[in-house]
């Protein structure tokens, strides 16, 4: 248990001692500069590919299993 705790805490301690931030976090230019690069954002509709499907009654699983087996049978 003590070994597991030290293995879990060691990366957190070393990560907190990092002297530089990742490049995606830090700004590459002064934010008050009007010519600074601005990343564009796009709105994506979260339900764009939605297709309504009605519930169906269950079918006999043995027939479905036999149909699936006959489609892919390669006589092996």
């Amino acid at each position: 248990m003590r070994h597991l705790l030290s293995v879990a805490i060691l990366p957190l301690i070393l990560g907190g001692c990092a002297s530089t931030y990742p490049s995606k976090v830090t700004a590459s230019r002064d934010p008050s500069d009007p010519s600074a690069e601005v990343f564009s954002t796009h709105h994506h509709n979260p339900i764009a590919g939605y297709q309504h499907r009605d519930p169906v009654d269950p079918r006999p699983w043995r027939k479905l299993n036999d149909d699936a087996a006959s489609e892919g049978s390669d006589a092996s």
Side-chain angles (χ1 to χ4, degrees):
M1 179 68 182
R2 187 176 295 170
H3 178 68
L4 179 63
L5 186 62
S6 64
V7 170
I9 290 179
L10 184 63
L12 293 174
I13 293 172
L14 293 177
C17 296
S19 62
T20 60
Y21 291 112
S23 61
K24 291 282 185 182
V25 176
T26 59
S28 60
R29 295 187 185 172
D30 182 17
S32 63
D33 183 12
S35 65
E37 182 180 3
V38 176
F39 295 106
S40 63
T41 58
H42 301 284
H43 172 72
H44 298 285
N45 188 356
I47 58 172
Y50 173 74
Q51 294 178 354
H52 177 73
R53 296 185 179 138
D54 291 322
V56 295
D57 292 329
R59 295 187 283 174
W61 64 269
R62 288 184 194 255
K63 181 177 181 327
L64 293 173
N65 192 21
D66 292 340
D67 292 344
S70 65
E71 288 177 4
S73 65
D74 56 358
S76 54

